[in-house]
Amino acid sequence: MYCVKEIGNSIFWVGASDRRLQLFENAFPIERGINYNSYLIKDEQNVLIDTVDKSVSDRFFENLEYVLDGERLDFLIINHVEPDHSGSIKELIYRYPYLTIVTTAKAKDYLSQFLDIDLSERFIEVKDGYTFSSGKKLYNFISAPMVHWPEVTVVYESTTKTLFSADAFGSFGAMSGNLYADEVDFDRDWLDDARRYYTNIVGKFGSSVTQLLNKASKLEIAMLCPLHGLVWRDKIGYFVDKYKLWASYTPESNGVSIFYGSVYGNTENACNILANYLAEKGIKDIRIFDVSKTDKSVLISECFMVKNLVFAGVTYNGGVFTNLENLILDLKAHNLQNRKIAIIENGTWAATAGKRIEEIFTQMKGCEIVEPKITIKSAVKNEDLAELKTLANNLG
Ligand code: FEO
């Protein structure tokens, strides 16, 4: 049975939610599920904007058929070819044989690679600035390469002032009835997942996102329709401002987050002592994470949020405890910048973890190592306390 929403001005949400998938992209836990948003715009010629992952295609096709109500589907605009949005296109082409695909040359190439079908007979190529009308509605294409893949466009329907923003402004989390961000307690229930989605999926491409934000700032936007998560029609500037921070690697908090890899609890103990000193200094925003317990996507998101980051790790196989090193390498891969970094290493006979941690962060733009770098020999001693206190004073 169909499950659709009319979101105004002949625009219909015909997407679907998936709460069965454990790992988005086979990498990121999604306890709250995920939305695959697809939008049908009815006009003299009917236009679909993107499709959905194959896993929810049954519901999507029921939605589409219901809203079309026997009318022809004329155009498919593809903003992004990643299979979570293009996974139903092959079936769509079989069901709607007159369908014309409107997208970039790169998207056409990628789609042909995935689907192994020749699209040249049913393809309109768009570039940045291309406009296209379906009758009353007018679509303006804005290229957005590397938000998240090179082929990405977003499209602005100017009569309704609606921006279909592809992966930008998306979130993890399935729809629970309310599709609009102003219908939910976004800060309480969605912000963390929106940040975790942005930082892990698109976080590496901050400069590309900033370019898109600059282009979008010239538009009057009444509604923001991403491919995941919620639709925005109110206080859009609030979410855009979050994106400006995330895309420019600007922390939201001046607090301190501590990430430790500890085998027998002694490195963890050093972190707890440091946190105590930070609290005595009056810092309220302090969090401690065991990197072996907390999913890496949460830790990446945390590092994008907070200014002062402490990495504490035991020496392991002559290097850094693996889970901690994986986190740090992933932060580098995500292009994290402009952070204050503190380092605590532990070793019983040859502590080398700190050297490796510092080596990685010194390759990352704007990351400043905060002194003192601390070496614990097996367990914290009285003589280590002064250094931990000094480090606390130099953070935050
Ligand atoms: Fe939701 Fe980059 O795909």
Side-chain angles (χ1 to χ4, degrees):
M1 177 54 69
Y2 61 83
C3 178
V4 302
K5 277 200 183 263
E6 181 167 7
I7 56 178
N9 300 304
S10 305
I11 304 173
F12 295 82
W13 178 83
V14 292
S17 302
D18 185 352
R19 291 183 182 80
R20 301 182 72 179
L21 185 69
Q22 296 288 320
L23 296 175
F24 182 74
E25 291 188 359
N26 209 15
F28 309 111
I30 45 170
E31 281 183 19
R32 297 171 57 242
I34 185 93
N35 263 13
Y36 302 106
N37 296 335
S38 169
Y39 304 94
L40 179 68
I41 299 98
K42 296 192 82 174
D43 197 3
E44 289 162 28
Q45 293 180 296
N46 294 318
V47 175
L48 182 69
I49 300 190
D50 291 299
T51 72
V52 298
D53 190 85
K54 208 182 258 181
S55 60
V56 293
S57 65
D58 282 357
R59 186 71 61 245
F60 162 71
F61 283 115
E62 284 176 325
N63 291 346
L64 188 56
E65 278 170 31
Y66 170 72
V67 179
L68 281 172
D69 194 20
E71 292 178 24
R72 185 172 135 133
L73 179 62
D74 300 288
F75 293 102
L76 169 67
I77 290 174
I78 300 176
N79 280 330
H80 186 18
V81 171
E82 193 165 9
D84 54 330
H85 309 295
S86 68
S88 301
I89 291 179
K90 199 167 191 173
E91 173 74 15
L92 190 77
I93 290 169
Y94 291 143
R95 289 183 183 228
Y96 301 95
Y98 300 108
L99 186 68
T100 297
I101 292 175
V102 185
T103 194
T104 59
K106 272 200 178 81
K108 179 187 163 223
D109 288 348
Y110 298 168
L111 198 60
S112 299
Q113 287 171 203
F114 277 111
L115 303 185
D116 197 21
I117 55 176
D118 181 9
L119 299 168
S120 40
E121 296 296 309
R122 55 166 79 241
F123 167 65
I124 295 175
E125 181 183 335
V126 303
K127 292 184 172 152
D128 190 52
Y130 183 91
T131 57
F132 158 81
S133 174
S134 57
K136 296 187 178 63
K137 302 269 196 276
L138 185 64
Y139 299 89
N140 302 265
F141 287 83
I142 301 163
S143 66
M146 301 319 299
V147 182
H148 159 221
W149 280 16
E151 87 294 358
V152 169
T153 57
V154 300
V155 65
Y156 179 68
E157 201 293 297
S158 53
T159 67
T160 58
K161 300 182 173 53
T162 302
L163 183 67
F164 297 93
S165 60
D167 272 347
F169 304 107
S171 176
F172 295 131
M175 184 178 70
S176 299
N178 296 311
L179 181 63
Y180 298 110
D182 55 273
E183 294 177 320
V184 301
D185 188 333
F186 186 80
D187 276 1
R188 189 191 66 191
D189 296 334
W190 285 83
L191 178 59
D192 284 350
D193 259 345
R195 185 188 299 104
R196 191 166 64 92
Y197 168 85
Y198 171 84
T199 54
N200 284 277
I201 308 289
V202 199
K204 179 181 179 64
F205 309 112
S207 63
S208 305
V209 175
T210 298
Q211 282 176 31
L212 174 61
L213 293 172
N214 289 339
K215 289 181 185 178
S217 69
K218 298 181 179 70
L219 304 171
E220 189 185 339
I221 299 172
M223 193 152 62
L224 194 54
C225 295
L227 286 175
H228 300 287
L230 302 166
V231 169
W232 289 75
R233 60 183 177 180
D234 189 30
K235 297 189 177 134
I236 293 172
Y238 162 85
F239 203 26
V240 170
D241 285 346
K242 288 287 181 199
Y243 260 66
K244 283 181 186 165
L245 292 178
W246 299 339
S248 60
Y249 306 97
T250 305
E252 294 164 79
S253 156
N254 279 325
V256 183
S257 292
I258 302 170
F259 306 88
Y260 70 81
S262 186
V263 177
Y264 295 108
N266 293 303
T267 308
E268 178 187 4
N269 183 226
C271 294
N272 284 326
I273 294 166
L274 175 67
N276 249 359
Y277 288 140
L278 289 164
E280 282 170 11
K281 201 181 133 181
I283 296 178
K284 292 195 165 36
D285 190 9
I286 309 166
R287 279 177 295 281
I288 302 181
F289 298 90
D290 181 341
V291 297
S292 300
K293 290 261 182 71
T294 307
D295 186 78
K296 188 144 56 72
S297 67
V298 174
L299 304 177
I300 295 277
S301 183
E302 178 76 15
C303 291
F304 269 72
M305 184 170 69
V306 175
K307 173 77 180 172
N308 302 280
L309 309 175
V310 180
F311 295 89
V314 295
T315 300
Y316 208 76
N317 290 330
V320 188
F321 186 67
T322 315
N323 292 339
L324 187 67
E325 185 172 31
N326 285 346
L327 168 64
I328 296 167
L329 289 173
D330 219 13
L331 290 170
K332 181 167 181 271
H334 282 80
N335 212 11
L336 184 73
Q337 302 172 17
N338 308 326
R339 294 298 187 273
K340 289 175 86 170
I341 306 294
I343 299 170
I344 301 172
E345 66 177 358
N346 194 350
T348 297
W349 63 94
T352 57
K355 186 166 172 250
R356 173 68 179 142
I357 295 170
E358 183 171 6
E359 181 185 290
I360 300 169
F361 277 111
T362 49
Q363 296 165 31
M364 293 165 61
K365 192 175 167 189
C367 287
E368 168 202 342
I369 306 294
V370 180
E371 297 293 341
K373 298 184 286 280
I374 295 177
T375 299
I376 305 294
K377 288 197 169 169
S378 303
V380 179
K381 314 289 187 312
N382 266 334
E383 56 266 32
D384 299 319
L385 297 180
E387 277 206 315
L388 285 165
K389 195 164 203 169
T390 305
L391 180 58
N393 284 333
N394 292 343
L395 284 168

